[in-house]
Amino acid sequence: MLILNANQEQKQVFHDLIQEIDAQVVWNGRFILMGDRLILEGVVRSLFLHFDIQQAEVKWMDLAVEDEEELQIEDYPGLEDLITMAVFVFQKWGALTGITVEQNVPRLEQLFGEILAPYQLDTVFTDENIEFYQSGMRITYEDVAEAVIAYEETMKDQPQSAERKRIIDLSAIQRVSSHNVTDKRKESEKKADGLSASRDSETAAKRIEKYHARISVLNRLSDFQKKALIRDIRLDKLLSDKEKEELYCPVRDYEYQMRIQQIDDELKDKANGTYAHIQKMIKKAEKEELFEKTKQAVLERLHDLSVQYGVQEVREIMKQTPQHVERAEYRELMEKLAPYEEIHLAEYQEPLRKMRETLEIKEISNMLMQSPKKSREDYVKLLRRIEEQNFARENAAPYVEQILDRMEEYDKVRLNKLLSKAGAMDFETAASIYEMISQESFLPKLRTGALAVISRRLEEISLSECRVYVNMLRKSMDGVIQENPRHHFYPAEKLLQKTVNPEAKRLFDNAVAAYAEKKGLFEYPIFLADTSKEGSGRDGMLLTSEHLFYSTRLSGYRISLPLIRSVRVSLGLLNHKSLVVEEADGTRHKIPYVVENEILQEWADILGRLIRQLQERPVCEKLTYDALEAQNKNSCSRCGCVYEDGNGCPECGLKAD
């Protein structure tokens, strides 16, 4: 380590340089050289220039330098170029913003070579690094300085023909820096709140000097005196905001230094050296009245310490834990680890996972061996027990799959019996079995397949019936109601033959979506009267085997066919005709139509006869829309249980998503 006291020119230039690059450092005029580092020592914080990593940083310096010998740069002129060289290097690396150096990197490398040549040293300087060599061996920046000092000492007794000339001059930086500093000071003074334009700069400078004098003895000030100092700076109308901030900086740094020292002193007591105690210190620090930057820095330090102590304690806990544990011991272990929420337990995740895996697989295996397994219900109960134990999914999954395989065997036997005569079932039988499968517990994939089989039979029966009524309506309209592009008959025949064109169903699908969405699952349309302006089917009347649907501009309506008493023509004002459907309780509906008024009565008669015939057909009470709407509100994705309400399956315990 070398400690060098700057000459007067360097003090002036580097003070301006520190301000120019906005480094929050109160420089004391000393350079410290350590290996590949040049340090501008500050009152509390210092500016570090790292040659090895090409970075400049401001941080608190924790170095014992009181006993080190100090050298005066004035006694060793060669050191001036060496110190100036550092500024040029770090400016070219982009680590010192706000200053400029005109020479490019190749030219600077040439100049550096000229500087070091008298000392038998070589250098390589690039955009990425700088290397120093002596007799072909790599040396540090500090070694270079020592070589310069040794050379200068040997030359002191030699006659000098002329005064040594510097190769690179601080004045180039000084001129640029001084110009920029002046501009910035002027701009800062213009923007400063509460400052007058005739401000006396000399008085302000003296005021700042007095504050620096008080700051230099911070260690001798009481807490009251420190608060008074901060208050005086804050209320001083003669100073700009930037000047105040520069004065706050060493106070803030000293406050941080003292607070860190308090932390270190507190932790010297072994009783306080625990993760839990540091957590208490963090909570206390969060409530303290400190500079915000100080508080954040202190909290950062405490959080680092909490991680350090926490990792040590977690490591000790894991060290004392046996490899194989029982469930109670595992829970106790997790309770011990729970408080260490800030600790990243990556290195212990795999041991903990294996510990839990071994423990849970053993418990699940015992559970399988001891549980009855004579029925589907037994396996569902087993699933429930596994769910209640909150085993890790990856540990329970293989056993759950085995249980589901056994349940599948039971379900297949049950469904095969129910579906054995599906192709010959009448509608009521098929509807009953459909509802039964919907409501009973079956594995979801098997339930879906079984319902598809029954659905095909119900569709076949319903479409065959629909075809009969479509043909019946066509025949009754033939010769009475002329063909109308707004009248549409459902293509039941082609659907049965599987030759239907999707376009033939489009208007019916539009009507169902617009105002007949409450149509039953196997309730097919028979006839559509389209009153929409664009001929889309979204307005009008739709007749099915169970309901008469119609729409108005505002909403859609549904009338159950068994409730209809009559279909008739009603005369209003000015002999205006309406098609009216009246229910048994007297409720009347004006139904949309698209026939001429002259034949409206004939249309009412035809529609009324068809509705009476539909009323006389045998009606299966199963699978109405309302009944289907209540079905399958919740269906367990694992065991297939159908349930109304709750947050999870009442049979196997699987929690609802």
Side-chain angles (χ1 to χ4, degrees), residues 184-195 240-242:
K184 285 193 173 183
R185 281 176 179 167
K186 288 181 179 178
E187 182 181 355
S188 176
E189 289 176 2
K190 287 179 182 178
K191 293 182 178 179
D193 295 332
L195 292 182
S240 69
D241 289 342
K242 182 173 179 59

PDB file of all heavy atoms in Angstrom, residues 184-195 240-242:
ATOM      1  N   LYS A 184     -22.203  24.116 -14.666  1.00  0.00           N
ATOM      2  CA  LYS A 184     -23.139  23.403 -13.798  1.00  0.00           C
ATOM      3  C   LYS A 184     -23.469  24.209 -12.552  1.00  0.00           C
ATOM      4  O   LYS A 184     -24.601  24.207 -12.084  1.00  0.00           O
ATOM      5  CB  LYS A 184     -22.561  22.038 -13.390  1.00  0.00           C
ATOM      6  CG  LYS A 184     -22.621  21.012 -14.507  1.00  0.00           C
ATOM      7  CD  LYS A 184     -22.356  19.625 -13.971  1.00  0.00           C
ATOM      8  CE  LYS A 184     -22.576  18.580 -15.047  1.00  0.00           C
ATOM      9  NZ  LYS A 184     -22.400  17.226 -14.522  1.00  0.00           N
ATOM     10  N   ARG A 185     -22.456  24.858 -12.008  1.00  0.00           N
ATOM     11  CA  ARG A 185     -22.716  25.680 -10.833  1.00  0.00           C
ATOM     12  C   ARG A 185     -23.689  26.808 -11.153  1.00  0.00           C
ATOM     13  O   ARG A 185     -24.612  27.109 -10.390  1.00  0.00           O
ATOM     14  CB  ARG A 185     -21.400  26.260 -10.314  1.00  0.00           C
ATOM     15  CG  ARG A 185     -20.575  25.262  -9.501  1.00  0.00           C
ATOM     16  CD  ARG A 185     -19.264  25.856  -9.101  1.00  0.00           C
ATOM     17  NE  ARG A 185     -18.486  24.921  -8.295  1.00  0.00           N
ATOM     18  CZ  ARG A 185     -17.207  25.087  -8.015  1.00  0.00           C
ATOM     19  NH1 ARG A 185     -16.553  26.137  -8.488  1.00  0.00           N
ATOM     20  NH2 ARG A 185     -16.560  24.201  -7.272  1.00  0.00           N
ATOM     21  N   LYS A 186     -23.464  27.448 -12.336  1.00  0.00           N
ATOM     22  CA  LYS A 186     -24.355  28.530 -12.734  1.00  0.00           C
ATOM     23  C   LYS A 186     -25.781  28.015 -12.922  1.00  0.00           C
ATOM     24  O   LYS A 186     -26.748  28.626 -12.483  1.00  0.00           O
ATOM     25  CB  LYS A 186     -23.859  29.161 -14.037  1.00  0.00           C
ATOM     26  CG  LYS A 186     -22.597  29.997 -13.866  1.00  0.00           C
ATOM     27  CD  LYS A 186     -22.173  30.603 -15.194  1.00  0.00           C
ATOM     28  CE  LYS A 186     -20.919  31.463 -15.025  1.00  0.00           C
ATOM     29  NZ  LYS A 186     -20.470  32.034 -16.318  1.00  0.00           N
ATOM     30  N   GLU A 187     -25.884  26.860 -13.616  1.00  0.00           N
ATOM     31  CA  GLU A 187     -27.221  26.289 -13.841  1.00  0.00           C
ATOM     32  C   GLU A 187     -27.881  25.911 -12.533  1.00  0.00           C
ATOM     33  O   GLU A 187     -29.078  26.130 -12.323  1.00  0.00           O
ATOM     34  CB  GLU A 187     -27.088  25.044 -14.730  1.00  0.00           C
ATOM     35  CG  GLU A 187     -28.411  24.399 -15.055  1.00  0.00           C
ATOM     36  CD  GLU A 187     -28.229  23.161 -15.914  1.00  0.00           C
ATOM     37  OE1 GLU A 187     -27.084  22.870 -16.318  1.00  0.00           O
ATOM     38  OE2 GLU A 187     -29.239  22.493 -16.171  1.00  0.00           O
ATOM     39  N   SER A 188     -27.086  25.313 -11.596  1.00  0.00           N
ATOM     40  CA  SER A 188     -27.626  24.926 -10.294  1.00  0.00           C
ATOM     41  C   SER A 188     -28.113  26.143  -9.525  1.00  0.00           C
ATOM     42  O   SER A 188     -29.167  26.116  -8.896  1.00  0.00           O
ATOM     43  CB  SER A 188     -26.557  24.174  -9.494  1.00  0.00           C
ATOM     44  OG  SER A 188     -27.024  23.883  -8.212  1.00  0.00           O
ATOM     45  N   GLU A 189     -27.325  27.242  -9.603  1.00  0.00           N
ATOM     46  CA  GLU A 189     -27.704  28.442  -8.866  1.00  0.00           C
ATOM     47  C   GLU A 189     -28.962  29.069  -9.434  1.00  0.00           C
ATOM     48  O   GLU A 189     -29.790  29.624  -8.715  1.00  0.00           O
ATOM     49  CB  GLU A 189     -26.547  29.447  -8.892  1.00  0.00           C
ATOM     50  CG  GLU A 189     -25.354  29.009  -8.032  1.00  0.00           C
ATOM     51  CD  GLU A 189     -24.178  29.971  -8.143  1.00  0.00           C
ATOM     52  OE1 GLU A 189     -24.327  30.977  -8.862  1.00  0.00           O
ATOM     53  OE2 GLU A 189     -23.140  29.709  -7.526  1.00  0.00           O
ATOM     54  N   LYS A 190     -29.126  28.951 -10.786  1.00  0.00           N
ATOM     55  CA  LYS A 190     -30.328  29.506 -11.409  1.00  0.00           C
ATOM     56  C   LYS A 190     -31.565  28.751 -10.983  1.00  0.00           C
ATOM     57  O   LYS A 190     -32.653  29.305 -10.831  1.00  0.00           O
ATOM     58  CB  LYS A 190     -30.199  29.461 -12.938  1.00  0.00           C
ATOM     59  CG  LYS A 190     -29.215  30.479 -13.493  1.00  0.00           C
ATOM     60  CD  LYS A 190     -29.133  30.358 -15.012  1.00  0.00           C
ATOM     61  CE  LYS A 190     -28.118  31.351 -15.575  1.00  0.00           C
ATOM     62  NZ  LYS A 190     -28.002  31.217 -17.054  1.00  0.00           N
ATOM     63  N   LYS A 191     -31.430  27.415 -10.838  1.00  0.00           N
ATOM     64  CA  LYS A 191     -32.586  26.573 -10.520  1.00  0.00           C
ATOM     65  C   LYS A 191     -32.847  26.468  -9.026  1.00  0.00           C
ATOM     66  O   LYS A 191     -33.884  25.954  -8.607  1.00  0.00           O
ATOM     67  CB  LYS A 191     -32.388  25.157 -11.085  1.00  0.00           C
ATOM     68  CG  LYS A 191     -32.377  25.117 -12.604  1.00  0.00           C
ATOM     69  CD  LYS A 191     -32.226  23.696 -13.105  1.00  0.00           C
ATOM     70  CE  LYS A 191     -32.255  23.631 -14.615  1.00  0.00           C
ATOM     71  NZ  LYS A 191     -32.087  22.240 -15.113  1.00  0.00           N
ATOM     72  N   ALA A 192     -31.895  26.876  -8.197  1.00  0.00           N
ATOM     73  CA  ALA A 192     -32.025  26.678  -6.750  1.00  0.00           C
ATOM     74  C   ALA A 192     -33.213  27.458  -6.202  1.00  0.00           C
ATOM     75  O   ALA A 192     -33.431  28.609  -6.547  1.00  0.00           O
ATOM     76  CB  ALA A 192     -30.746  27.125  -6.048  1.00  0.00           C
ATOM     77  N   ASP A 193     -33.999  26.784  -5.369  1.00  0.00           N
ATOM     78  CA  ASP A 193     -35.154  27.432  -4.765  1.00  0.00           C
ATOM     79  C   ASP A 193     -34.707  28.421  -3.699  1.00  0.00           C
ATOM     80  O   ASP A 193     -33.861  28.108  -2.861  1.00  0.00           O
ATOM     81  CB  ASP A 193     -36.078  26.379  -4.116  1.00  0.00           C
ATOM     82  CG  ASP A 193     -36.666  25.469  -5.162  1.00  0.00           C
ATOM     83  OD1 ASP A 193     -36.824  25.920  -6.304  1.00  0.00           O
ATOM     84  OD2 ASP A 193     -36.960  24.314  -4.817  1.00  0.00           O
ATOM     85  N   GLY A 194     -35.334  29.626  -3.668  1.00  0.00           N
ATOM     86  CA  GLY A 194     -35.087  30.574  -2.598  1.00  0.00           C
ATOM     87  C   GLY A 194     -33.788  31.336  -2.721  1.00  0.00           C
ATOM     88  O   GLY A 194     -33.408  32.054  -1.806  1.00  0.00           O
ATOM     89  N   LEU A 195     -33.043  31.166  -3.824  1.00  0.00           N
ATOM     90  CA  LEU A 195     -31.794  31.900  -3.989  1.00  0.00           C
ATOM     91  C   LEU A 195     -32.029  33.141  -4.837  1.00  0.00           C
ATOM     92  O   LEU A 195     -32.695  33.074  -5.869  1.00  0.00           O
ATOM     93  CB  LEU A 195     -30.741  31.018  -4.676  1.00  0.00           C
ATOM     94  CG  LEU A 195     -30.227  29.829  -3.862  1.00  0.00           C
ATOM     95  CD1 LEU A 195     -29.177  29.102  -4.675  1.00  0.00           C
ATOM     96  CD2 LEU A 195     -29.648  30.280  -2.544  1.00  0.00           C
ATOM     97  N   SER A 240     -27.659  26.547  -2.288  1.00  0.00           N
ATOM     98  CA  SER A 240     -28.508  25.883  -3.287  1.00  0.00           C
ATOM     99  C   SER A 240     -28.819  24.466  -2.835  1.00  0.00           C
ATOM    100  O   SER A 240     -28.152  23.915  -1.942  1.00  0.00           O
ATOM    101  CB  SER A 240     -27.800  25.851  -4.638  1.00  0.00           C
ATOM    102  OG  SER A 240     -26.686  24.973  -4.576  1.00  0.00           O
ATOM    103  N   ASP A 241     -29.789  23.856  -3.477  1.00  0.00           N
ATOM    104  CA  ASP A 241     -30.145  22.469  -3.133  1.00  0.00           C
ATOM    105  C   ASP A 241     -28.970  21.534  -3.372  1.00  0.00           C
ATOM    106  O   ASP A 241     -28.737  20.596  -2.597  1.00  0.00           O
ATOM    107  CB  ASP A 241     -31.352  22.019  -3.968  1.00  0.00           C
ATOM    108  CG  ASP A 241     -32.628  22.721  -3.528  1.00  0.00           C
ATOM    109  OD1 ASP A 241     -32.635  23.259  -2.402  1.00  0.00           O
ATOM    110  OD2 ASP A 241     -33.600  22.726  -4.305  1.00  0.00           O
ATOM    111  N   LYS A 242     -28.218  21.765  -4.455  1.00  0.00           N
ATOM    112  CA  LYS A 242     -27.079  20.895  -4.752  1.00  0.00           C
ATOM    113  C   LYS A 242     -26.007  21.037  -3.680  1.00  0.00           C
ATOM    114  O   LYS A 242     -25.413  20.043  -3.249  1.00  0.00           O
ATOM    115  CB  LYS A 242     -26.512  21.238  -6.128  1.00  0.00           C
ATOM    116  CG  LYS A 242     -25.341  20.360  -6.550  1.00  0.00           C
ATOM    117  CD  LYS A 242     -24.925  20.625  -7.969  1.00  0.00           C
ATOM    118  CE  LYS A 242     -23.754  19.759  -8.380  1.00  0.00           C
ATOM    119  NZ  LYS A 242     -24.016  18.335  -8.281  1.00  0.00           N
TER     120      LYS A 242
END
